[in-house]
Amino acid sequence: MRKAGRLAWISLGFQLSIVTVLALVMGGSQALRTAWIEDMLSLLPPVAFLIAMKLERKPATRRFPFGFQRANSLAFLIAATALTAMGALMVYESAMTLAKGEHPTIGSVRWFGQEVWLGWPMMAALAYSVIPPVILGRMKLPLARKIADKVLHTDALMNKADWQTGLAAILGIGGVAFGLWWADAVAAGFIALSILRDGVNAMRVAIVELTDGAPRKLDSAEVDPLVDQITERLRHQHGDVAVQVRETGRYMRAVVGPPDTPHLPEEHARALVGDDEGWRLIEVAIEDRQSRRDA
């Protein structure tokens, strides 16, 4: 967790520098503008991860009796939404550029008495924007698997999208130099569909997680194999019982109950709450816990 936190801070520092550098050389390039917007959105996942990491360590309170472990689930939804918004924006802008037949113009500037085509500093800035995401993304993926953190995994996907978009933008600007006006928009949109697909899949998992669905795998919408393992072993211990497993941030909760009804018997609920409000109490779980060190 400490290493993941350090990587998140390093990511923020590099992303801010990349956003600044791209803003300084931005011209009429559609691909460069798309890369800049994408890098702006890439700031959200590490920020969400750092906030969630701090919140989930807070103890339970009267207002939040289950603690703040689900802050990670909320952060995952924010990161997935950012990834989806990035892909959708890129697809839309690329499609509109191609539909309108807009010809990007890349001018020139005078540096030290010499006329310099702006495409060169643009491509240099994009080359810089590719290097940190490649390294950081590869470092985050094994950490995300080890600490079962979907926010960090989505952040790694954003890093992958960053360097792919940077390379596509370089190719697009190079295409403009050879008179291929459509190359800029095609390069920006080529990778957008892949980014959008990853974002939509991540959003599906985030919504399932927040609606108490069964825990999903880190990189897909399939149910985590641990669910079947937990269910099988609890039934082996307790016999014919109903087992409900749900995700709480990076953790899992399992509830063992009678197989015949999913709700608390009404007479028991009314005895605890009262006749008028008894219908609202559907579960009373007596949990067997043991202390553990933080992940």
Side-chain angles (χ1 to χ4, degrees):
M1 289 294 293
R2 286 192 295 269
K3 187 174 181 180
R6 287 196 297 269
L7 282 178
W9 280 113
I10 292 171
S11 291
L12 283 176
F14 273 115
Q15 284 301 125
L16 287 172
S17 69
I18 289 170
V19 166
T20 302
V21 169
L22 292 182
L24 291 175
V25 299
M26 191 183 303
S29 169
Q30 177 70 39
L32 188 63
R33 182 171 177 269
T34 302
W36 181 78
I37 294 173
E38 182 196 6
D39 287 320
M40 289 287 288
L41 288 172
S42 295
L43 294 170
L44 287 177
V47 170
F49 173 79
L50 290 169
I51 293 174
M53 186 174 67
K54 185 174 183 179
L55 282 177
E56 68 180 10
R57 292 175 176 172
K58 294 180 63 176
T61 66
R62 180 177 175 274
R63 292 173 62 87
F64 295 91
F66 290 96
F68 298 85
Q69 292 171 346
R70 295 195 84 175
N72 184 268
S73 301
L74 181 60
F76 176 42
L77 179 62
I78 293 172
T81 302
L83 189 63
T84 304
M86 176 197 305
L89 178 66
M90 292 170 64
V91 170
Y92 172 78
E93 291 200 344
S94 300
M96 287 298 99
T97 300
L98 289 172
K100 295 177 182 178
E102 295 178 358
H103 290 54
T105 56
I106 300 177
S108 59
V109 292
R110 181 170 291 276
W111 283 354
F112 305 106
Q114 299 291 326
E115 200 76 15
V116 179
W117 179 55
L118 272 176
W120 295 120
M122 285 181 179
M123 287 192 282
L126 287 167
Y128 167 68
S129 75
V130 165
I131 298 172
V134 170
I135 299 172
L136 292 171
R138 292 181 65 87
M139 294 176 69
K140 290 172 186 175
L141 280 176
L143 274 178
R145 296 188 184 99
K146 188 168 186 177
I147 63 177
D149 197 294
K150 293 185 175 71
V151 184
L152 192 63
H153 186 265
T154 305
D155 191 13
L157 291 180
M158 294 277 276
N159 289 145
K160 179 182 176 182
D162 286 341
W163 69 259
Q164 288 178 337
T165 304
L167 289 180
I170 291 173
L171 293 175
I173 293 173
V176 171
F178 287 98
L180 304 175
W181 67 269
W182 45 266
D184 191 52
V186 169
F190 177 74
I191 204 64
L193 292 174
S194 176
I195 296 171
L196 181 60
R197 182 195 61 194
D198 288 340
V200 170
N201 288 338
M203 279 194 70
R204 285 174 56 200
V205 176
I207 292 171
V208 166
E209 185 173 318
L210 286 172
T211 52
D212 284 342
R216 272 23 178 201
K217 291 182 179 179
L218 192 67
D219 54 356
S220 76
E222 296 181 9
V223 176
D224 195 309
L226 279 176
V227 174
D228 293 332
Q229 179 181 329
I230 292 168
T231 301
E232 180 182 349
R233 293 188 178 182
L234 285 174
R235 284 178 176 164
H236 179 73
Q237 293 177 12
H238 300 281
D240 184 21
V241 294
V243 179
Q244 297 170 313
V245 185
R246 63 182 174 89
E247 205 155 19
T248 304
R250 73 184 75 256
Y251 304 101
M252 292 185 186
R253 291 180 181 269
V255 177
V256 178
D260 53 341
T261 174
H263 291 174
L264 190 70
E266 290 186 14
E267 61 273 11
H268 189 181
R270 286 197 297 267
L272 292 171
V273 181
D275 292 339
D276 293 336
E277 300 291 339
W279 62 271
R280 297 183 63 189
L281 184 63
I282 63 173
E283 179 182 89
V284 174
I286 301 175
E287 300 185 4
D288 181 19
R289 299 185 184 180
Q290 61 181 2
S291 62
R292 63 170 68 183
R293 293 182 301 174
D294 291 337

